[in-house]
């Protein structure tokens, strides 16, 4: 594993960044990882882990100082997201979703909006990002949730499907269509709803294959009213906000997937160094070594690409859509491959709950589906090469 130790040691973190990453690594190893199997078994929301994350003030990593945060580079958040996901994918996505939902408010909100919404997040609040609807998944522009102007307020009617943190969020960033703008895409707008608003209903919580301790809710908005000031930018600017938001959330879900991949790879390597058959360790069979070689090489390359994209974002590059798509697609395919290999190399023991292999396998699958399915990413990457 020296190659991965060197990879981890090869970052140019500043002193205070190293301290945060080491602290999060310790939290992940000593508190979050030991709870992961039980949380997965019971499906209970990981409140203790959220409390531990908040005790360290980790939401502050991405909230500007003026609103209660202690921000660091995006790359630092990305590394922390990877470490938490490696320990417990459910906890990882609960925390990362807060970032995904609140980053557009940070990037596009007015001073007044930031003053109202961000301190709540900096002090440990949860957030949810509401895009998907029953008939609008890969093509989000098909969404039907409606925003209707009514005096000084906006009325929200509609519903959202598969919303991470949907039942526990303090703040919801919701995308919908502005009533009165005919063109479907031009109508897309974004606004913030706080949990106290009347008319938000949790219709159901999903029973899931993996990420079982993270909650995924179907929400209905029935005449929910928010002040006009909760609208991000102008009516119809939602699609631009959405694309900009995805450029930062996709590397984040890639970090999450790479956390699962690294955990699965490490678990497989541990096991096959001990397990013996035919008088030899499993790791000594050449067929097995070839499997490790291919996966380790792809994993190391993809981890470098993760920080290449993070560095671009830290440098202020806005046009990172294709790099982020490549990263999300490859990282999530690797998570699935690593988890598959982990189960395979554990033999029958990989298929039962005594080892984490089967959990990694179940947790990895969704990473190929959310934040744009990998088919959609292949399409985006491929068509970027077509001359206009
Ligand atoms: C656990 C979980 C958590 C989630 N969290 C959130 C969240 O917090 N917020 C949120 O808004 N959403 C969330 N989602 C929704 C997720 O992003 C969507 O499920 C995803 O975008 C796919 O949409 P869909 O399920 O409607 O599938 P569909 O779009 O119906 O796709 C079905 C299949 O068709 C393929 N397909 C579709 N279009 C094309 C195309 N053009 N070319 C080739 N193939 C295509 C897809 O790749 C897929 O294989 C979550 C989902 C889950 C399961």
């Amino acid at each position: 594993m020296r190659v991965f130790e060197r990879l981890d040691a090869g970052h140019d973190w500043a002193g205070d960044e190293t301290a945060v990453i080491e602290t999060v690594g310790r939290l992940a190893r000593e508190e979050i990882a030991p709870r992961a199997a039980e949380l997965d078994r019971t499906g209970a929301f990981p409140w203790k882990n959220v409390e531990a994350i908040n005790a360290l003030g980790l939401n502050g990593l991405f909230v500007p100082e003026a609103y209660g945060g202690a921000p660091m580079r995006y790359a630092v958040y990305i590394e922390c997201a990877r470490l938490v996901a490696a320990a417990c994918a459910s906890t990882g996505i609960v925390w990362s979703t807060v970032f995904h939902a609140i980053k557009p408010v940070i990037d596009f909100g007015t001073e007044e909006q930031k003053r109202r919404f961000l301190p709540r997040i900096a002090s440990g609040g949860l957030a949810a990002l509401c895009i998907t609807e029953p008939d609008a998944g890969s093509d989000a522009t098909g969404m039907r949730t409606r925003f209707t102007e009514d005096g000084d307020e906006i009325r929200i009617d509609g519903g959202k499907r598969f919303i991470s943190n949907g039942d526990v969020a303090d703040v919801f960033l919701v995308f919908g269509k502005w009533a009165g703008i005919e063109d479907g895409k031009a109508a897309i707008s974004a606004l913030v709803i706080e949990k106290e608003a009347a008319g938000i209903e949790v219709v159901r919580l999903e029973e899931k294959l993996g990420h079982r301790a993270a909650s995924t809710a179907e929400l209905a908005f029935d005449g929910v009213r928010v002040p006009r000031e909760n609208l991000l930018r102008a009516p119809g600017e939602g699609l631009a906000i959405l694309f900009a938001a995805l450029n930062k959330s996709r590397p984040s879900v890639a970090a999450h997937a790479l956390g699962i991949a690294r955990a699965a790879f490490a678990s497989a390597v541990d096991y096959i160094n001990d397990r013996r058959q035919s008088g030899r360790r499993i790791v000594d069979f050449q067929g097995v070594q070839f499997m490790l070689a291919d996966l380790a090489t792809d994993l190391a390359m993809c981890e470098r690409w993760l920080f290449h994209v993070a560095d671009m974002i830290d440098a202020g590059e806005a046009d990172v859509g294709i790099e982020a798509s490549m990263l999300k697609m490859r990282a999530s395919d690797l998570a699935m491959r690593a988890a598959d290999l982990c189960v395979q190399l554990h033999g029958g023991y990989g298929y039962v709950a005594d080892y984490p292999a089967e959990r990694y396998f179940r947790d990895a699958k969704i990473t190929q589906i959310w934040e744009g399915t990998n088919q959609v990413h292949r399409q985006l990457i491929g068509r970027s090469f077509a001359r206009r």
Side-chain angles (χ1 to χ4, degrees):
M1 297 291 276
R2 267 193 72 208
V3 65
F4 287 110
E5 283 160 16
R6 275 207 294 262
L7 204 55
D8 289 343
H11 295 282
D12 62 342
W13 307 124
D16 52 346
E17 294 174 339
T18 303
V20 167
I21 289 164
E22 283 177 3
T23 304
V24 171
R26 209 163 30 249
L27 172 77
R29 272 192 316 278
E30 294 175 7
E31 270 198 66
I32 296 179
R35 294 188 188 120
E38 179 68 2
L39 286 169
D40 173 65
R41 195 182 63 73
T42 61
F45 190 80
W47 283 116
K48 278 193 179 155
N49 292 341
V50 170
E51 283 162 21
I53 283 170
N54 287 337
L56 293 179
L58 291 187
N59 287 0
L61 274 183
F62 44 79
V63 175
E65 213 169 334
Y67 314 103
M72 289 192 164
R73 285 189 288 164
Y74 178 71
V76 177
Y77 158 72
I78 285 290
E79 177 63 351
C80 293
R82 190 178 73 86
L83 293 171
V84 175
C88 172
S90 291
T91 304
I93 206 59
V94 168
W95 184 51
S96 288
T97 297
V98 179
F99 170 80
H100 303 160
I102 214 64
K103 187 65 178 153
V105 179
I106 296 168
D107 288 349
F108 296 99
T110 61
E111 177 59 31
E112 186 272 335
Q113 287 169 336
K114 291 183 206 180
R115 256 190 289 112
R116 266 195 302 139
F117 304 128
L118 297 186
R120 191 170 195 175
I121 298 301
S123 62
L126 293 172
L129 176 64
C130 307
I131 306 167
T132 306
E133 297 185 6
D135 294 323
S138 296
D139 180 9
T141 64
M143 64 178 69
R144 295 204 186 129
T145 293
R146 216 166 167 72
F147 299 162
T148 312
E149 203 167 12
D150 186 4
D152 292 341
E153 293 183 326
I154 302 168
R155 183 189 155 116
I156 300 116
D157 294 286
K160 296 285 172 183
R161 191 82 203 264
F162 298 141
I163 302 306
S164 302
N165 293 350
D167 60 327
V168 289
D170 298 289
V171 172
F172 302 81
L173 178 65
V174 182
F175 287 82
K177 287 189 176 160
W178 195 261
I181 301 180
E182 290 310 314
D183 182 279
K185 288 185 184 172
I188 294 177
S189 308
L191 52 71
V192 176
I193 306 179
E194 290 181 278
K195 73 170 178 194
E196 292 77 13
I200 308 172
E201 188 197 344
V202 177
V203 180
R204 54 181 262 170
L205 290 175
E206 306 296 346
E207 193 59 51
K208 303 193 297 293
L209 175 71
H211 286 83
R212 290 180 53 78
S215 60
T216 311
E218 179 173 351
L219 300 176
F221 302 119
D222 183 12
V224 177
R225 286 173 178 277
V226 296
R228 180 77 164 67
E229 293 77 42
N230 283 26
L231 183 71
L232 278 194
R233 307 280 283 259
E237 291 196 35
L239 203 55
I241 294 172
L242 180 60
F243 288 148
L246 292 173
N247 283 350
K248 292 183 182 153
S249 59
R250 285 173 173 165
S252 167
V253 294
H256 178 87
L258 287 172
I260 298 171
R262 184 78 92 84
F265 184 76
S267 162
V269 167
D270 270 355
Y271 184 79
I272 61 178
N273 269 280
D274 289 336
R275 174 78 173 168
R276 302 179 78 88
Q277 288 295 286
S278 309
R280 297 161 74 187
R281 297 179 307 176
I282 303 288
V283 72
D284 293 324
F285 295 113
Q286 193 182 50
V288 169
Q289 290 169 356
F290 283 6
M291 294 158 105
L292 294 182
D294 286 338
L295 185 64
T297 304
D298 290 350
L299 195 48
M301 305 289 151
C302 194
E303 287 189 12
R304 286 315 290 171
W305 189 257
L306 170 68
F307 288 98
H308 166 69
V309 178
D311 288 346
M312 285 177 81
I313 291 172
D314 275 324
E317 176 62 63
D319 181 18
V320 295
I322 299 304
E323 284 88 347
S325 281
M326 289 172 160
L327 172 62
K328 190 276 173 185
M329 178 189 84
R330 183 49 46 88
S332 55
D333 283 349
L334 268 173
M336 201 61 230
R337 256 177 71 198
D340 187 19
L341 184 85
C342 184
V343 171
Q344 191 69 23
L345 292 183
H346 278 73
Y349 297 92
Y351 200 71
V352 297
D354 297 9
Y355 289 88
E358 57 88 33
R359 171 163 52 86
Y360 297 140
F361 190 85
R362 289 183 288 102
D363 285 344
K365 184 61 207 175
I366 188 62
T367 68
Q368 295 176 305
I369 295 172
W370 61 26
E371 289 286 323
T373 68
N374 285 1
Q375 286 73 34
V376 167
H377 286 292
R378 285 185 170 84
Q379 204 172 56
L380 292 170
I381 297 161
R383 79 172 176 222
S384 76
F385 294 99
R387 291 201 187 98
R388 299 218 172 145

